[in-house]
Amino acid sequence: MHTPRPRHALFSCVLVALSMPFRVSALRPSMPPAPPQRRGTNVGYFIPMNGGGSMLTQVQDTYPPGLGEPINVIISANSDAAVLQSTVNNGGLINYYHFSTECLGQHSGDNQAANLGDGDGYLNQTAVIRWDYGNVQLGTCEETIDGGNHIRYWIQNGPDANTSAIFMALSYEMPIADQHNIIVNGYDLGRDWMVGNATAQSSIIPTSKLTNASTYSGSTSFNGYTYHTSVNYVSGLLQNTSIGINHYQSVAVNGSNAIDGLVVVMTVKITSQPSTGSSAARTHRPLTVYWTTLMLACLVIVSLL
């Protein structure tokens, strides 16, 4: 009697093989490029408004038209160069945040644009990263479904202000069933919860009590790298307002404004990292090794059925 088992086994192997790029993408070796020439700045970034830019993003199809979302976090160019690279490896930005890129590499939702005053005008976000619930491979799929902390970011590297600082729009979004709207006070809370995690605070940062004199610092470790983060809350880059803010109707709470006008400036230093012979370093094997091994295993399995 004919049995479909070999065909099913081969089909299953192919499905697994096709999923491998997503499973091992975090393991690809990639040396970060040399840091670009930076424009001199004492604070580690160039103020976008001084170059015709804005600290609000451009959002498509808002009601009323012209609303934007606050760029409420800046990773200073005074941070270590490796942290300013959009990589998982070598202690880069994705490794530092313990966040991951989009679910299975697929971007959902509309792009947003920002003008950082660096001479490039409005550009769509460099990437979107999401809280991964501790699962690097599939955790951002859970965030997409259940909601969570959500980051869009841009790098200030245009011809007029090539600082390499990273500008981020953070928010805490609702589940997909609620169309990824922002939770009440979700811009400020998303910012502060990220700061609490990045500085390993033992208690929740008191959002309602923050001022432009508030500072935090602390250390975290991930994948063999230890980071020390210093945080300053800065006023004057955004306004304490609901005017012009996307989702202002639902984000503002108890008569307060949608955002408090404070921007977090983070300076991140790598204080320790894996040695060349460490287990973390040995995980960076070429993708072709995994791919070839898996396909050979599939052929062997099918031949035995």
Side-chain angles (χ1 to χ4, degrees):
M1 179 172 138
H2 174 70
T3 172
R5 284 192 303 162
R7 182 178 296 177
H8 285 177
L10 180 59
F11 180 69
S12 299
C13 284
V14 170
L15 284 180
V16 174
L18 290 174
S19 73
M20 283 300 292
F22 304 117
R23 295 176 181 274
V24 302
S25 60
L27 303 179
R28 291 180 181 174
S30 62
M31 295 300 293
Q37 185 65 36
R38 297 176 180 172
R39 177 172 178 164
T41 167
N42 291 330
V43 294
Y45 58 91
F46 178 73
I47 297 174
M49 288 73 76
N50 291 349
S54 174
M55 290 292 286
L56 293 179
T57 68
Q58 279 187 344
V59 183
Q60 302 175 30
D61 302 323
T62 64
Y63 183 82
L67 302 181
E69 299 194 358
I71 297 173
N72 48 10
V73 174
I74 300 172
I75 299 185
S76 162
N78 296 328
S79 301
D80 282 346
V83 179
L84 300 175
Q85 306 297 323
S86 298
T87 62
V88 173
N89 300 324
N90 307 300
L93 178 70
I94 311 303
N95 189 73
Y96 164 64
Y97 267 127
H98 309 184
F99 277 47
S100 297
T101 51
E102 295 274 49
C103 174
L104 298 179
Q106 303 302 305
H107 174 59
S108 60
D110 294 329
N111 290 319
Q112 294 186 21
N115 182 349
L116 303 184
D118 58 2
D120 277 341
Y122 277 93
L123 296 176
N124 286 340
Q125 70 265 347
T126 301
V128 175
I129 55 178
R130 302 172 184 270
W131 173 239
D132 64 14
Y133 289 90
N135 183 336
V136 174
Q137 284 78 28
L138 297 174
T140 56
C141 298
E142 182 175 351
E143 194 279 341
T144 298
I145 296 170
D146 294 339
N149 232 355
H150 172 275
I151 301 175
R152 300 176 190 267
Y153 69 90
W154 298 257
I155 301 174
Q156 191 177 57
N157 58 4
D160 297 340
N162 194 348
T163 68
S164 297
I166 298 176
F167 286 67
M168 298 184 151
L170 266 88
S171 60
Y172 198 97
E173 63 184 13
M174 296 179 182
I176 194 170
D178 296 313
Q179 300 179 328
H180 282 164
N181 286 325
I182 310 301
I183 69 171
V184 172
N185 204 24
Y187 295 119
D188 294 345
L189 289 175
R191 174 200 65 197
D192 298 337
W193 290 341
M194 184 275 296
V195 168
N197 289 333
T199 58
Q201 298 299 304
S202 59
S203 59
I204 296 176
I205 290 177
T207 298
S208 63
K209 297 180 180 179
L210 294 170
T211 71
N212 60 1
S214 298
T215 62
Y216 292 89
S217 65
S219 295
T220 57
S221 297
F222 188 70
N223 199 27
Y225 289 84
T226 299
Y227 305 88
H228 182 80
T229 303
S230 300
V231 171
N232 292 279
Y233 282 79
V234 175
S235 59
L237 297 175
L238 287 169
Q239 296 181 356
N240 183 342
T241 187
S242 292
I243 297 173
I245 306 300
N246 197 27
H247 303 293
Y248 69 90
Q249 305 97 326
S250 57
V251 173
V253 56
N254 297 329
S256 298
N257 288 323
I259 60 172
D260 61 13
L262 295 174
V263 174
V264 161
V265 178
M266 310 174 71
T267 302
V268 184
K269 301 290 186 180
I270 297 175
T271 56
S272 67
Q273 60 188 50
S275 61
T276 303
S278 70
S279 58
R282 287 195 298 269
T283 63
H284 302 302
R285 297 178 182 175
L287 177 60
T288 52
V289 173
Y290 292 93
W291 184 272
T292 303
T293 302
L294 180 62
M295 293 306 296
L296 288 174
C298 285
L299 293 174
V300 170
I301 291 171
V302 171
S303 68
L304 293 175
L305 293 174

